[in-house]
Amino acid sequence: MRRFVGASLVWLVACGGGDGSTGATTSTAEGASTSASIDTTSTTTGGATSESPTDMGEATSTTASPTSTTTSTTDASSTTGEPVVGWRSELYPEDWTPEFTGPDGRFLHDFSYAGYRLAAAVPGSELPALTIDAVRDHGADATGQSDATAALQAALDAAAEAGGAVVRLPAGLYRVDGRLTVHGSNTVIAGVGAEQSRLWFTAFSDMSYEAHLTFAGAPQFGADVALAEDGQVRARTITVADASGLKVGDEIAIGWQISPAFVTEHAMNGTWMVFNDTWQPFFWRTVTAVDAGSGAVEIDVPLRYPALVRDQASVRPVTGLLREVALMDVGVANAVGWEDAWSQDQVYAVAMLGVRDAWVTGVKSFVSPGAPAEGKGSGRHLQSGGLTIQRSARVTVEGSTLELAQHRGDGGNGYLFEVMQSGEVLVRDCVARAGRHNFVQNWGFGATGIVWLRVHSSEGKAVALMGSEFGTVGLSEFHHSLATANLLDQSVVDDGWGAVNRLAWSSGAGHSATQSAVWNASGKGVVRSRQFGHGYVIGVGPQLTVETSLESPDAAGTAPEDWVEGPGQVGVLDPPSLYEDQLARRLGG
């Protein structure tokens, strides 16, 4: 069974594990893999993987041939001091606005809303006035010799009772044999550095689908408010049948039923089944204006996909969220004995569930004292998962490194940075190494507006058997259903990144992505983009393999072929970061 992390989301649904990842090439030994590379104009090939339901054979990639303009960049120069002549995407001219539409109805979403407070404030710039020292005030053992769970939980509870506080972790090793839960908004856990303030989690028994440290919001939906008109893509106003119960500042979810018509429209009959005939939240929004007379409701972030009356699209108020919570400058580790690690599925070091305006900064994994001294699992940091973010919005994850998972088998293991059914999440300047899917959008519908900015993914591996570390390259990827309008920006991909039709894998993941973009990526891995409707790969390094061909089983129903720009272009892509340029435009910078 596949279960959401934490008691606050007690949903049991069919298994959505790690089967069927969009693996790239075959790994021959621990930490070593092979991957193809191409020059800027050649076609590419991709071999079959053990995780595909059918043999994919030789998949030839091709590239579209849109025209592009050249510009002179302002942030780079040649050895002579002259500006480097670069090029711009046809879909992102210098006078771009969020309403701009290019050839054949193609366009780039405005991704700039991702992050804490919609990227309008710096995470950690405002902290609670009260500080609670876990050692001084609650007697937490910082030597690692005794269990610090009770003392740390007491500090977290005191912060909740006070209405918020910074819970300080002085330098030291904190052994946590139990589980820690943050129940109160405005609770910030802050160390003095990931190499100095370290949380060592030791539990493994009865830990499947759980986290050692959980920021536990409990989102609840209010009464359903039906849309009176179809919600349009890129619109910031929707029209509801009765707006009298909504007011400015309300947190809402906008969603619809996974109706037979919706399934058929996406050619997913017999594939999408787990969520059929249920209402699913696609967008987490805040009401910014209401006209009760007309039913017009303005929202803070545009819609990313059509919300159709046909599918009973509606608005539901959301309560029970945690706000202004954070984890800062701490180290985390939970690796255990090798067989113990493989006895559980989806054990996370940290989970954020039902949070708004939250952040994780300066968090790094370290070699667990509980890992074996030698042999299998030695030197590992994490048992299975790293950080999971679920049913949340406006979250920034920054300057963090998670690596070296023990359990990288199927069943949803080895996901280092995971985002699930969440929106406007920014993961920036982060490193993930030696997981199964290092960066992953996983399970269900409603992953939208996620930006992966300057991340580095390497040594991902999908391992089939506990007794062997042989396996296929595990790609970072959009793992489940119809992740919409997400962005991989200025990142390094040394293993791979996938956005394809995953067919029946993971309980019928099917089309995993649509309207998502890869911008200015580099590395020695593969980008496999076969998205439903439109997808975009714009500006990639010469060693990065790009696969967009429709001549592959995982391209079924994804025509037209995704838009590709870059091969053959001279100079650098301008701007280097799409997200940062869009943010500057939106905020008037």
Side-chain angles (χ1 to χ4, degrees):
M1 302 291 285
R2 174 68 168 90
R3 186 172 65 179
F4 285 87
V5 173
S8 63
L9 299 175
V10 198
W11 294 351
L12 297 177
V13 289
C15 177
D19 295 347
S21 68
T22 49
T25 55
T26 302
S27 175
T28 56
E30 173 61 22
S33 63
T34 60
S35 63
S37 63
I38 58 171
D39 63 27
T40 56
T41 57
S42 66
T43 59
T44 63
T45 59
T49 75
S50 64
E51 292 191 272
S52 299
T54 56
D55 188 347
M56 294 167 59
E58 292 290 323
T60 302
S61 74
T62 61
T63 60
S65 55
T67 59
S68 300
T69 60
T70 59
T71 62
S72 179
T73 63
T74 58
D75 60 348
S77 61
S78 67
T79 56
T80 64
E82 294 297 321
V84 175
V85 176
W87 62 278
R88 295 191 71 94
S89 167
E90 185 176 355
L91 299 180
Y92 200 70
E94 292 193 56
D95 60 351
W96 179 88
T97 68
E99 295 76 30
F100 178 83
T101 301
D104 301 319
R106 297 177 188 260
F107 63 89
L108 296 172
H109 281 269
D110 184 351
F111 298 102
S112 70
Y113 295 90
Y116 172 73
R117 298 192 188 178
L118 301 182
V122 177
S125 57
E126 298 179 25
L127 296 174
L130 177 63
T131 296
I132 297 172
D133 188 299
V135 174
R136 181 194 64 210
D137 299 331
H138 291 277
D141 179 11
T143 69
Q145 297 301 305
S146 63
D147 182 14
T149 305
L152 294 176
Q153 188 62 56
L156 297 174
D157 292 343
E161 291 169 6
V166 176
V167 176
R168 293 288 185 189
L169 299 182
L173 178 66
Y174 299 86
R175 197 185 88 204
V176 181
D177 295 340
R179 295 172 57 199
L180 300 174
T181 305
V182 175
H183 292 292
S185 293
N186 303 301
T187 299
V188 175
I189 302 173
V192 296
E195 292 78 17
Q196 300 178 69
S197 301
R198 293 184 162 187
L199 294 169
W200 167 31
F201 303 113
T202 66
F204 67 88
S205 180
D206 298 321
M207 283 296 296
S208 288
Y209 316 111
E210 302 290 353
H212 293 283
L213 169 60
T214 303
F215 292 80
Q220 301 293 323
F221 293 126
D224 192 90
V225 182
L227 265 62
E229 301 175 2
D230 291 343
Q232 303 300 318
V233 177
R234 296 189 281 184
R236 282 193 54 189
T237 300
I238 56 176
T239 303
V240 299
D242 181 4
S244 60
L246 298 173
K247 64 182 184 300
V248 173
D250 281 352
E251 295 285 359
I252 59 172
I254 301 172
W256 53 86
Q257 292 225 357
I258 309 303
S259 68
F262 184 79
V263 173
T264 299
E265 178 181 59
H266 293 83
M268 286 284 98
N269 291 292
T271 299
W272 284 347
M273 293 184 287
V274 173
F275 299 95
N276 288 10
D277 301 316
T278 66
W279 186 91
Q280 293 295 308
F282 276 74
F283 311 113
W284 307 94
R285 298 291 185 261
T286 302
V287 175
T288 55
V290 178
D291 185 334
S294 67
V297 178
E298 183 185 88
I299 52 179
D300 57 340
V301 180
L303 294 183
R304 307 292 192 186
Y305 212 65
L308 303 182
V309 173
R310 177 201 70 185
D311 302 323
Q312 301 180 49
S314 63
V315 170
R316 295 184 180 182
V318 182
T319 58
L321 305 170
L322 283 188
R323 302 174 184 278
E324 301 290 336
V325 293
L327 180 64
M328 301 172 59
D329 302 321
V330 300
V332 294
N334 68 350
V336 290
W338 182 251
E339 293 186 359
D340 293 335
W342 280 76
S343 72
Q344 306 288 298
D345 287 320
Q346 296 182 51
V347 181
Y348 297 94
V350 180
M352 285 194 160
L353 313 177
V355 304
R356 295 293 185 277
D357 295 321
W359 69 95
V360 175
T361 58
V363 172
K364 298 180 180 181
S365 62
F366 63 94
V367 177
S368 173
E374 57 184 15
K376 289 185 175 64
S378 62
R380 300 298 178 90
H381 296 190
L382 300 169
Q383 179 177 339
S384 172
L387 168 69
T388 184
I389 299 171
Q390 302 179 12
R391 292 212 154 191
S392 299
R394 305 193 297 262
V395 179
T396 291
V397 182
E398 185 174 19
S400 297
T401 299
L402 298 173
E403 53 189 337
L404 292 168
Q406 292 174 305
H407 189 349
R408 296 189 283 175
D410 60 12
N413 295 290
Y415 299 179
L416 300 186
F417 290 86
E418 177 187 70
V419 182
M420 184 187 303
Q421 295 188 336
S422 298
E424 282 59 62
V425 174
L426 172 63
V427 181
R428 62 179 300 161
D429 302 303
C430 291
V431 173
R433 180 171 72 95
R436 182 183 178 96
H437 305 305
N438 289 332
F439 297 97
V440 63
Q441 172 276 317
N442 188 32
W443 193 246
F445 295 86
T448 68
I450 302 163
V451 173
W452 314 90
L453 172 64
R454 289 189 297 272
V455 300
H456 186 181
S457 179
S458 67
E459 299 180 41
K461 185 189 292 185
V463 178
L465 300 172
M466 179 183 70
S468 171
E469 274 286 85
F470 291 96
T472 58
V473 174
L475 276 64
S476 293
E477 66 180 12
F478 300 106
H479 196 67
H480 223 267
S481 305
L482 211 64
T484 304
N486 303 296
L487 172 66
L488 175 66
D489 189 3
Q490 206 177 2
S491 294
V492 179
V493 180
D494 281 330
D495 36 29
W497 203 285
V500 302
N501 180 355
R502 298 190 61 246
L503 306 170
W505 288 112
S506 300
S507 301
H511 296 302
S512 65
T514 184
Q515 299 181 22
S516 295
V518 176
W519 181 275
N520 200 19
S522 61
K524 299 180 180 180
V526 58
V527 168
R528 185 167 291 146
S529 186
R530 300 181 178 109
Q531 302 183 44
F532 177 81
H534 293 163
Y536 307 92
V537 181
I538 299 173
V540 296
Q543 292 183 292
L544 192 60
T545 300
V546 177
E547 295 180 7
T548 60
S549 171
L550 301 181
E551 302 300 319
S552 173
D554 63 5
T558 66
E561 187 171 349
D562 287 349
W563 175 278
V564 179
E565 285 181 280
Q569 293 293 342
V570 176
V572 297
L573 176 61
D574 187 29
S577 166
L578 178 61
Y579 169 82
E580 290 179 328
D581 191 79
Q582 289 182 329
L583 180 62
R585 291 170 187 259
R586 179 167 65 86
L587 298 182

